[in-house]
Amino acid sequence: MFVKWRMTANPFTIDSGVTVPDAIELMQTHNITKLPVLRDGKLCGVVSQSDINRALPSDATSLSFGEVAYLLSKLKIYKIMQKNPPTISADAMLEEAAIVMRDSKVDILPVMDEGKVVGVITESDVLDAFIDINGAREPGTRLVIEADDQPGVMSRLARVTGELETNITHIAVYRTGMESSFVLLGVNTVNTSDLEDAFTKAGFQVRYVLRR
């Protein structure tokens, strides 16, 4: 799955010279919490609601409301933004974006194409994609099958489902680092008793069954 399939295209952006109140208004108007920051049309940072919150005076301040408002009206986004944020290409695989997010400890990546911001991909986008890839919300049955971690296992599993004319809708493998792995198999039926028996007879162990 590619980043361009899950990103928010043509995202709202903000200029680095804009003031904090203007950024707050933009975020509230469009119900967003993070914005790519541009300078002369080029990406130079990302600003989030958390960055803004850190810039606000604490509740213990002795400043009046008017004084706080005046100070914020002079505070520019480039003063509080996260500079030189990590980015990802629109043609990158989604797992690449997930790795960059985890390694960089960020939950949003500007998506770039030929030096321009063409979208943003967020942690929520990656989680939604994970749910879709695994078919977690689709009707049917999900079986967790323990199998030997060796060549030919997937063809054996497919042979069993084929003999019972059961359609595999989703499949994922969780390698344990030991001699066995867990295969998450999604099928398009809730009547899987015969299938479970067939897997057992074929030498597999059905560890968990979830029907929707």
Side-chain angles (χ1 to χ4, degrees):
M1 186 175 290
F2 296 103
V3 167
K4 60 187 174 185
W5 292 352
R6 306 297 304 204
M7 72 181 188
T8 298
N10 304 313
F12 292 103
T13 62
I14 198 164
D15 187 83
S16 62
V18 166
T19 64
V20 167
D22 288 334
I24 293 174
E25 181 180 1
L26 181 60
M27 289 180 178
Q28 291 178 343
T29 299
H30 299 288
N31 194 30
I32 52 180
T33 58
K34 299 174 182 66
L35 289 167
V37 182
L38 307 183
R39 181 181 292 122
D40 298 327
K42 295 183 179 180
L43 180 72
C44 62
V46 170
V47 68
S48 69
Q49 184 63 56
S50 297
D51 298 322
I52 291 174
N53 292 341
R54 283 192 292 270
L56 297 176
S58 71
D59 293 337
T61 182
S62 61
L63 297 174
S64 68
F65 176 82
E67 290 172 323
V68 170
Y70 175 77
L71 291 174
L72 289 179
S73 72
K74 299 298 183 181
L75 183 59
K76 306 292 186 181
I77 288 300
Y78 73 85
K79 291 285 189 178
I80 65 170
M81 70 182 187
Q82 302 165 44
K83 299 178 176 64
N84 303 314
T87 63
I88 195 78
S89 166
D91 292 321
M93 297 291 288
L94 200 61
E95 53 261 43
E96 295 179 74
I99 290 171
V100 173
M101 286 183 190
R102 292 296 291 170
D103 290 351
S104 303
K105 298 180 180 179
V106 298
D107 56 10
I108 184 172
L109 292 175
V111 182
M112 309 298 292
D113 185 20
E114 297 183 352
K116 296 182 179 180
V117 177
V118 296
V120 292
I121 190 84
T122 68
E123 189 175 63
S124 294
D125 295 326
V126 174
L127 288 174
D128 287 341
F130 174 79
I131 291 170
D132 291 345
I133 289 171
N134 283 279
R137 291 196 175 102
E138 295 184 16
T141 304
R142 296 156 62 75
L143 303 113
V144 178
I145 302 167
E146 185 174 357
D148 293 336
D149 191 357
Q150 60 184 10
V153 167
M154 301 307 294
S155 62
R156 288 170 53 203
L157 287 169
R159 190 178 306 117
V160 172
T161 58
E163 290 173 352
L164 293 180
E165 298 183 349
T166 302
N167 184 37
I168 297 175
T169 57
H170 299 85
I171 191 167
V173 179
Y174 298 89
R175 305 189 71 181
T176 64
M178 304 174 68
E179 294 182 355
S180 63
S181 292
F182 290 95
V183 181
L184 176 61
L185 203 67
V187 296
N188 66 340
T189 179
V190 294
N191 302 313
T192 60
S193 296
D194 291 343
L195 182 62
E196 292 169 48
D197 290 341
F199 280 137
T200 300
K201 290 176 182 178
F204 299 104
Q205 297 184 59
V206 179
R207 293 296 191 183
Y208 188 76
V209 179
L210 175 63
R211 294 181 175 87
R212 294 184 62 86

